[in-house]
Amino acid sequence: MTWRFAIVLEPAAPDDSRTDFTAGFREIDPSAPALSVGELSTQRGDGIFESIGVVDGHAQEVQAHLERLAHSARLCDLPIPHLEQWRQAVAVAASHCPPVGEGVIKLILSRGVEHGPAPTAWVTAAQAPDNTRVREDGIRVVTLDRGYSLDTPGRAPWLLLGAKTLSYAVNMAAIREAKRRGADDAIFVTSDGFVLEAPTASLVLRSGDRFVTPSPNAGILHGTTQLSLFDHLADIGHETAYETIPAATLAQADAAWLLSSVRLAAPITAIDGVELPVDRELTASINAYLLSPRD
Ligand code: PLP
């Protein structure tokens, strides 16, 4: 990934009434070392983040990402981000993304330096990888046990399920395991056999004219891309639903996609070795929608 730009923010209190926060953004060299060795983000993965897709200089679904950042902060007992400050940081970062083509903006809020006075916050902008091939040709996935049951999030909120934390080592390990099994990506399932999400994406299934995704109350991230796509599908007359989906029914879907902010819609060509039909036309129209400016 080519890093183009990075700024550090002094996190503002939620009641800060300034209208312009840009004077407080400190630009840093994205290729130079920047974090203190005592940073809890690197020592413990103790922090949260967002990845925002940028298309032709337009940052997509900024409000939804900011709201999810605030949601993750609440779950992790981090100071609630001042949304206007972060919105302005996103706008500055977007102006450093390629004016044509795709970019990615990352927002990171960590608990800061050990025993330090304040959290650490920074925003980066980079060129996005070329995802054209996966959007067209699709991906093979395998199901992997996430190791907890459907009711775990309610019983054990300290697991921070549903927060977008910096602790993605498990998610990355799942993708490596999927590759060892000859697939490209994974779908997590609960130990009692229900579908959750992919390690870095949401899952959407189509049955006839109906589009379903696992209920986000099961300790998964509520994907901004899935939310946006469901709005669009409803606008053009399709039925959409959140459901508790048994893993045993996955292969019966008429079509399926993994959805995320930067890769967008990757059609699934096989689940656990069972081939799934790919609707190339529908997939192309979904990606055309996701590539259009979205707020
Ligand atoms: N689920 C997980 C675990 C993710 O990491 C992501 C994105 O990174 C998503 C779902 C999809 O979220 P979004 O569409 O907001 O990118």
Side-chain angles (χ1 to χ4, degrees):
M1 189 170 297
T2 321
W3 300 102
R4 293 177 159 247
F5 178 72
I7 49 174
V8 174
L9 283 56
E10 295 250 313
D15 60 351
D16 191 321
S17 59
R18 273 179 290 171
T19 52
D20 187 351
F21 290 90
T22 52
F25 299 161
R26 185 165 53 86
E27 185 170 347
I28 55 171
D29 177 353
S31 60
L35 292 178
S36 157
V37 287
E39 241 311 310
L40 291 169
S41 53
T42 54
Q43 291 203 4
R44 297 201 166 142
D46 194 356
I48 55 175
F49 77 107
E50 283 294 321
S51 295
I52 301 179
V54 182
V55 181
D56 297 341
H58 183 271
Q60 304 279 54
E61 298 289 345
V62 174
Q63 182 64 21
H65 282 285
L66 294 178
E67 282 170 12
R68 194 170 61 189
L69 187 74
H71 176 68
S72 298
R74 272 190 289 275
L75 291 177
C76 294
D77 301 317
L78 282 163
I80 304 305
H82 192 300
L83 295 197
E84 184 51 30
Q85 181 192 33
W86 286 84
R87 194 189 320 282
Q88 290 177 20
V90 171
V92 172
S95 70
H96 287 80
C97 283
V100 175
E102 294 176 54
V104 52
I105 293 175
K106 288 200 182 207
L107 319 182
I108 298 147
L109 175 63
S110 94
R111 207 171 298 280
V113 176
E114 198 162 15
H115 312 303
T120 313
W122 69 101
V123 173
T124 62
Q127 194 167 351
D130 183 358
N131 282 302
T132 317
R133 202 187 57 75
V134 278
R135 288 174 196 160
E136 287 172 2
D137 297 345
I139 49 176
R140 301 173 70 81
V141 301
V142 287
T143 53
L144 294 181
D145 186 349
R146 186 73 173 84
Y148 60 76
S149 57
L150 203 58
D151 67 350
T152 301
R155 281 190 294 111
W158 47 87
L159 294 181
L160 305 179
L161 302 169
K164 195 165 169 69
T165 75
L166 291 171
S167 314
Y168 260 49
V170 166
N171 305 45
M172 297 300 107
I175 294 175
R176 290 195 300 276
E177 177 62 23
K179 291 193 170 152
R180 273 195 288 273
R181 296 184 188 196
D184 305 295
D185 211 328
I187 294 175
F188 284 132
V189 298
T190 63
S191 50
D192 45 354
F194 296 98
V195 180
L196 291 167
E197 62 185 344
T200 63
S202 314
L203 172 71
V204 168
L205 306 169
R206 179 175 72 78
S207 286
D209 193 29
R210 206 160 172 271
F211 293 78
V212 295
T213 194
S215 302
N217 57 11
I220 60 176
L221 286 192
H222 199 170
T224 61
T225 318
Q226 171 269 312
L227 261 173
S228 172
L229 178 65
F230 269 27
D231 282 349
H232 171 68
L233 291 171
D235 283 350
I236 59 174
H238 294 291
E239 193 188 334
T240 60
Y242 293 91
E243 285 179 1
T244 302
I245 304 170
T249 64
L250 267 179
Q252 295 162 14
D254 292 326
W257 299 265
L258 292 188
L259 290 173
S260 52
S261 295
V262 178
R263 189 169 62 182
L264 303 180
I268 296 176
T269 60
I271 300 180
D272 292 333
V274 179
E275 304 286 326
L276 217 64
V278 170
D279 187 334
R280 282 182 166 267
E281 210 178 312
L282 177 59
T283 301
S285 81
I286 288 175
N287 277 317
Y289 164 70
L290 294 173
L291 284 164
S292 67
R294 291 177 291 125
D295 287 315

